[in-house]
Amino acid sequence: MNLARPLIIAAGLIALWQLVVWASGTPPYILPGPVRVIRSWVGNDTMIMAHAGVTLAEILLGLLIGAVFGAAAAIVMSQAPVLRRWLLPVLVASQALPVFALAPLLVLWLGYGMASKVAMAALIIFFPVTAALYDGLRRTEPEWIDSARTLGCHGISLLLRVRLPAALPALASGIRVATAVAPIGAVVGEWVGASAGLGYLMLHANARMQVDLMFAALLTLTVMAVALYGVVDLVLRRSMPWQHGEGDHPDAG
């Protein structure tokens, strides 16, 4: 995988950041420059990485739980029309309710520990995975289904051998979207109530006017989220190479 492009983009963003600081003359307690932020990170690296480990664990657990339950819901809706008529309106209605409004309730019900943050991340992840896989299952080529039925493939066997494999690219797209939004759930949950995590660290750094530390935590979260997305995307590409065209090869520049 070519790393030159993301490194060039990162360097360009950092240079733009520094130019904005110089051009605007903004005081460091409002917008610290990248050098000041890096110094803060180096001076607090042990603490930042400890909080980052907590947030990463919340994201990974939320991603796993949300993906499993989302895939299960999509399969149930595709296989049981009666349940689909009941579940689909509930899923759509759940998206009309801002998931951030649920964070205080989850903290109240599940406590200040990791459980409420994992639940928050799983809730955000659940719908993209469900919607993507359900759409993929619905769009299976009718010719494939007819051919499989001609060969005596029905019910669960048809699902496992034809419809689910055909829907894997759609599921991969849903997982990519879920991976991108998973940090939102964990961090919002930490903002509402937590004793550890990057969101907790940013909140307390902001309260103490340690803006450089807050930016250091935010930078760590950004790098972690981008790296996680890159790993998930690479695994999905390697697992399903048939879904990519010539220009989408994982090693393409």
Side-chain angles (χ1 to χ4, degrees):
M1 184 172 59
N2 188 0
L3 294 178
R5 186 180 303 164
L7 290 176
I8 292 173
I9 293 174
L13 291 174
I14 291 174
L16 179 62
W17 176 9
Q18 184 63 65
L19 286 174
V20 169
V21 172
W22 283 339
S24 64
T26 306
Y29 59 84
I30 295 179
L31 179 62
V35 174
R36 183 182 291 269
V37 171
I38 292 173
R39 286 176 180 170
S40 178
W41 195 98
V42 172
N44 299 278
D45 58 341
T46 302
M47 178 181 65
I48 292 174
M49 293 308 296
H51 286 287
V54 174
T55 301
L56 180 60
E58 294 166 354
I59 293 171
L60 292 177
L61 287 172
L63 185 61
L64 176 62
I65 294 172
V68 169
F69 279 92
I75 292 172
V76 168
M77 288 193 300
S78 70
Q79 293 297 107
V82 175
L83 288 177
R84 179 176 66 242
R85 287 194 288 269
W86 289 93
L87 286 177
L88 195 56
V90 173
L91 290 175
V92 174
S94 69
Q95 296 308 295
L97 178 66
V99 70
F100 307 109
L102 296 176
L105 292 176
L106 292 176
V107 172
L108 178 64
W109 294 337
L110 301 177
Y112 285 85
M114 186 178 291
S116 58
K117 287 71 183 175
V118 172
M120 185 72 177
L123 284 174
I124 290 181
I125 291 161
F126 176 80
F127 187 78
V129 174
T130 303
L133 181 56
Y134 177 62
D135 190 56
L137 291 170
R138 286 195 308 160
R139 294 177 180 274
T140 305
E141 292 290 341
E143 293 82 1
W144 299 353
I145 296 177
D146 292 340
S147 299
R149 285 174 175 166
T150 301
L151 297 173
C153 190
H154 300 280
I156 298 299
S157 180
L158 180 64
L159 171 68
L160 296 178
R161 296 185 179 185
V162 179
R163 299 186 68 191
L164 197 55
L168 286 179
L171 175 61
S173 297
I175 291 176
R176 288 187 180 95
V177 173
T179 303
V181 300
I184 298 174
V187 171
V188 168
E190 291 171 355
W191 283 345
V192 173
S195 57
L198 290 174
Y200 166 85
L201 179 60
M202 284 188 282
L203 194 65
H204 281 257
N206 184 51
R208 296 184 176 93
M209 293 299 293
Q210 296 174 313
V211 183
D212 51 351
L213 178 59
M214 184 178 67
F215 269 78
L218 179 60
L219 184 62
T220 303
L221 178 65
T222 302
V223 172
M224 186 172 67
V226 171
L228 179 60
Y229 181 88
V231 170
V232 171
D233 181 61
L234 180 61
V235 170
L236 292 173
R237 285 173 178 267
R238 298 294 187 184
S239 302
M240 291 174 282
W242 64 85
Q243 77 171 105
H244 304 290
E246 182 179 350
D248 294 326
H249 192 278
D251 292 328

